[in-house]
Amino acid sequence: MTLNSGHPPHKHKVLIVGHKVPKDQTVGPVLEDLGLGFIHDETGEEGLESVRKATTPFSLVLCDQRMPGMKGSQFLAKVKEISPETIRVLITGYSDIKTIIRAVNKGAVQRYISKPLKNDDITQTIRSGIAQYEKYLESQQLYGVAKKQNKKLYELNCELMEATKATEKKLTRLEKEILTIAAQLKQKTAQRPLTQAQAVGLVVKCIDAIPGDSQKELNFLYEKSIQTLYKHFEELALRNGIEMPDPLGQGENHD
């Protein structure tokens, strides 16, 4: 049975405790009309045993205040310890009003029904109790959904952090590579090929350092060396996108 629409059905169970509770005359028929299954125990000890053995918690417990051995308020206080989500209802007379107030203040009792029992009172109390229990079920479902979503968000956040770290490493590596390439380009562009005049001057300087007797023999070598050096420098300049100036005497008219 589900009293609140829009939610999956829940099979509610109700526990009735007390030999004076007229389960066959009032409470029982009301529960049957509402489509609620129930169990009846005579004493508080039997009722606690049923609560402990239940595979799923009872949605609602009704018990009589006046029971041998264990009073109804004491019984419901123990039920709260075992199954705090179960809605607890105390059936009592007007003379037990102080007991009801104490039980309510302690949280052992959430609702109560006064004797003599009336079908309308019983029906309203049970309906309200079941509706309250279904709100608890709904909150548990929402909590479960929120917990799963939080877990997914945490996992996504971890993945995002890992992806961010990997991206930062790649960016750092690329930045280093760019700086290295820039330094290499700067170094290469700074190395310009020698002009013809610089090449000739370098050769002349080297020849001047040779003793005088040997300089005549180097005249021919000097001329060939100039030509060879210029050719090599010209090829190097072309590879670097630089145009060599015309050789001395080329492209000009001389007398």
Side-chain angles (χ1 to χ4, degrees):
M1 173 187 179
T2 299
L3 299 181
N4 293 334
S5 59
H7 301 288
H10 178 77
K11 189 175 181 180
H12 294 283
K13 296 188 303 179
V14 177
L15 176 63
I16 303 172
V17 181
H19 69 285
K20 290 186 178 182
V21 178
K23 63 180 185 302
D24 298 329
Q25 299 175 11
T26 53
V27 179
V30 169
L31 292 173
E32 290 176 356
D33 291 342
L34 294 174
L36 299 170
F38 66 90
I39 296 174
H40 180 263
D41 289 325
E42 295 286 338
T43 66
E45 287 77 8
E46 292 175 356
L48 291 177
E49 189 66 19
S50 296
V51 173
R52 293 189 184 99
K53 290 183 178 180
T55 54
T56 57
F58 286 99
S59 301
L60 186 141
V61 174
L62 298 99
C63 78
D64 191 4
Q65 169 62 14
R66 298 188 178 185
M67 297 187 298
M70 184 184 299
K71 300 300 180 181
S73 56
Q74 295 173 329
F75 165 75
L76 292 179
K78 293 182 180 296
V79 170
K80 179 184 177 182
E81 296 177 358
I82 301 171
S83 180
E85 64 274 14
T86 297
I87 305 303
R88 300 171 297 279
V89 180
L90 184 65
I91 300 174
T92 184
Y94 290 109
S95 60
D96 297 321
I97 188 64
K98 291 182 179 180
T99 301
I100 295 173
I101 293 173
R102 286 196 298 270
V104 171
N105 289 338
K106 291 180 179 179
V109 176
Q110 295 162 297
R111 300 175 183 273
Y112 71 92
I113 305 175
S114 299
K115 295 179 181 179
L117 299 178
K118 298 178 182 180
N119 284 356
D120 290 343
D121 293 341
I122 296 173
T123 301
Q124 181 61 36
T125 300
I126 292 175
R127 277 186 173 276
S128 299
I130 294 299
Q132 184 177 348
Y133 188 78
E134 287 189 342
K135 288 182 180 179
Y136 159 77
L137 294 177
E138 182 181 5
S139 65
Q140 289 298 105
Q141 291 174 354
L142 293 175
Y143 174 76
V145 172
K147 189 175 181 180
K148 290 180 181 179
Q149 290 177 341
N150 287 337
K151 182 180 179 181
K152 290 182 179 180
L153 287 174
Y154 175 77
E155 292 173 351
L156 289 174
N157 185 54
C158 291
E159 292 178 5
L160 180 61
M161 291 179 64
E162 290 298 324
T164 302
K165 290 179 180 179
T167 302
E168 289 177 350
K169 289 181 180 179
K170 290 181 180 179
L171 290 175
T172 302
R173 187 178 69 251
L174 288 174
E175 185 178 0
K176 290 181 178 179
E177 292 177 357
I178 290 172
L179 292 175
T180 300
I181 293 173
Q184 292 175 351
L185 287 175
K186 184 177 181 180
Q187 181 180 6
K188 288 182 178 180
T189 53
Q191 297 174 351
R192 301 298 186 191
L194 295 176
T195 64
Q196 183 181 17
Q198 290 173 329
V200 172
L202 181 62
V203 174
V204 171
K205 185 177 180 181
C206 293
I207 293 175
D208 289 341
I210 301 174
D213 294 339
S214 301
Q215 289 186 10
K216 292 181 180 180
E217 299 176 1
L218 293 176
N219 287 337
F220 180 76
L221 177 61
Y222 170 77
E223 182 180 353
K224 294 297 182 181
S225 297
I226 292 298
Q227 295 175 356
T228 302
L229 284 172
Y230 181 80
K231 182 178 180 181
H232 287 306
F233 280 118
E234 184 179 31
E235 293 176 354
L236 179 62
L238 291 175
R239 285 199 300 270
N240 285 273
I242 299 173
E243 185 177 357
M244 290 283 289
D246 292 336
L248 293 176
Q250 295 184 6
E252 300 180 358
N253 295 323
H254 298 280
D255 295 335

